[in-house]
Amino acid sequence: MTEIGLRPSPISATVNFAAEGIQHGFLRLPYSRDDSAWGSVMVPITIVRNGKGPTALLTGGNHGDEYEGPIALFDLARSLKAEEVRGTVIIVPAMNYPAFQAGTRTSPIDRGNMNRSFPGRPDGTVTEKIADYFSRVLLPMADLVLDFHSGGKTLDFLPFCAAHILPNKQQQEKAFEFVTAFAAPYSMKMLEIDAVGMYDTAAEEMGKIFITTELGGGGTATAKSTAIAKRGTMDVLRHAGIVEGAVDPGPTTWLDMPDDRCFSFAEEGGLIEPVIDLGEAVTDDAVIARIYPIGRTGMAPREIRAGMNGILCARHFPGLVKAGDCVAVVAIVDG
Ligand SMILES: [Zn+2]
């Protein structure tokens, strides 16, 4: 067989996906290198299975410098009991484990951005091999996927749970029901800058219910953003019927990213002065930030303006920006 699609994954799981009860183990990917000739990348995984019922796949650390997901999922993996579950919960707190260990967005091994590597390749880079395992082994088992993101070191977000506008309206509607159950302070109809290669897209194309989050950023987590992640995860499991109990969704503000006018990019680098903060209202063409050239004094700053009316839902985090950086994202308040 020469077709790539039929080549088996080099990853072997130390857990048995068919077994009942709780198992903590690893996805072991052989990775030969200078400090370990026959070494492996060991991606932690927990599976909690109790009889018939839906399967939820919960993932964090798709990007290695985003922390609410890994915190909520390491906590859930140690605390969820098999008798609380009807069905299966698969927990991978740090998908791109090498990136997570390094505290970087992409993998230090191959610079791979997990969320641009799907569907992956069994004979590709380390990052592509992990993506391929998710595409061909984990995603097919799942009915529901919750993938945690935050802004990482370079962006900061209002805390929201999100789903995408999809061609299949039934699939879309179900996803938004789960976003409602997650009940972050904000809920987003999300537009991607470029959806090719994303885990989201791979799952959605398989017909899975896929929801995601952006819960903060700056390369850290807060008590508030972590609490949102933990409570949201349990309410998603309750809404799926996997964990017992009623969902009592808290108040949420619906936001919509209708088109590319949401995004403002820097055309020159420099020192950024925020003019408004996250959550504040803007009108079309209003100044969101100023970028000062840093080569010399006496220069006027370049103004970054909103492309539409709305509220600021994401911003560049570090104090210096480069040409091409996403400086701001504006979303419409829905209803
Ligand atoms: Zn991310």
Side-chain angles (χ1 to χ4, degrees):
M1 295 286 176
T2 53
E3 284 177 72
I4 285 165
L6 298 177
R7 190 189 291 265
S9 171
I11 293 178
S12 53
T14 68
V15 293
N16 173 359
F17 292 108
E20 298 282 318
I22 297 184
Q23 299 167 80
H24 303 287
F26 299 93
L27 306 175
R28 192 180 67 77
L29 167 59
Y31 170 49
S32 178
R33 56 197 194 269
D34 286 346
D35 69 342
S36 187
W38 286 8
S40 309
V41 170
M42 303 286 275
V43 182
I45 184 169
T46 289
I47 175 160
V48 185
R49 188 180 184 98
N50 187 17
K52 282 198 167 41
T55 296
L57 174 58
L58 311 178
T59 49
N62 181 328
H63 294 128
D65 61 350
E66 304 173 4
Y67 294 102
E68 285 82 359
I71 294 168
L73 296 181
F74 271 109
D75 183 50
L76 183 70
R78 73 173 181 91
S79 58
L80 188 65
K81 295 183 176 62
E83 56 268 27
E84 290 177 88
V85 166
R86 195 181 314 145
T88 305
V89 182
I90 301 170
I91 304 168
V92 183
M95 286 173 83
N96 196 341
Y97 195 68
F100 176 70
Q101 278 181 303
T104 51
R105 179 173 181 82
T106 62
S107 173
I109 296 172
D110 52 30
R111 308 315 310 169
N113 180 340
M114 182 65 72
N115 222 22
R116 302 294 181 274
S117 300
F118 276 82
R121 295 172 63 100
D123 60 351
T125 62
V126 163
T127 307
E128 288 170 334
K129 286 170 177 169
I130 298 171
D132 171 69
Y133 189 85
F134 272 83
S135 292
R136 292 195 296 150
V137 180
L138 296 181
L139 280 178
M141 286 193 256
D143 300 295
L144 158 73
V145 184
L146 164 56
D147 184 40
F148 280 101
H149 288 260
S150 300
K153 284 176 183 160
T154 66
L155 290 171
D156 195 15
F157 282 88
L158 283 181
F160 64 78
C161 184
H164 298 109
I165 301 301
L166 298 174
N168 180 333
K169 293 303 163 193
Q170 205 185 349
Q171 182 187 8
Q172 173 189 313
E173 198 177 313
K174 276 193 190 160
F176 279 106
E177 284 171 14
F178 277 98
V179 173
T180 304
F182 190 101
Y186 295 87
S187 298
M188 181 71 85
K189 290 174 190 161
M190 196 165 184
L191 176 74
E192 301 295 345
I193 291 177
D194 180 7
V196 174
M198 292 180 70
Y199 181 43
D200 315 42
T201 310
E204 286 161 353
E205 284 178 353
M206 283 182 208
K208 308 300 180 184
I209 304 303
F210 185 94
I211 62 170
T212 185
T213 71
E214 298 289 356
L215 292 178
T220 188
T222 65
K224 244 181 219 155
S225 62
T226 302
I228 293 166
K230 288 186 181 186
R231 193 198 41 71
T233 304
M234 289 311 291
D235 276 337
V236 161
L237 293 177
R238 287 187 192 106
H239 182 69
I242 294 173
V243 168
E244 228 175 294
V247 181
D248 182 17
T252 189
T253 301
W254 282 89
L255 302 175
D256 189 3
M257 294 166 67
D259 56 54
D260 287 352
R261 291 173 303 154
C262 298
F263 306 106
S264 298
F265 294 93
E267 295 187 353
E268 286 164 49
L271 168 69
I272 190 160
E273 176 194 355
V275 173
I276 61 160
D277 286 322
L278 288 180
E280 290 189 82
V282 282
T283 51
D284 187 12
D285 210 37
V287 177
I288 298 175
R290 299 187 185 98
I291 299 175
Y292 289 86
I294 55 174
R296 57 173 300 159
T297 54
M299 307 285 285
R302 169 81 65 151
E303 288 173 336
I304 299 289
R305 291 172 181 273
M308 59 185 197
N309 296 333
I311 64 169
L312 186 66
C313 68
R315 69 174 196 103
H316 182 77
F317 191 77
L320 297 180
V321 289
K322 299 179 298 301
D325 284 352
C326 181
V327 174
V329 183
V330 172
I332 292 174
V333 179
D334 222 11

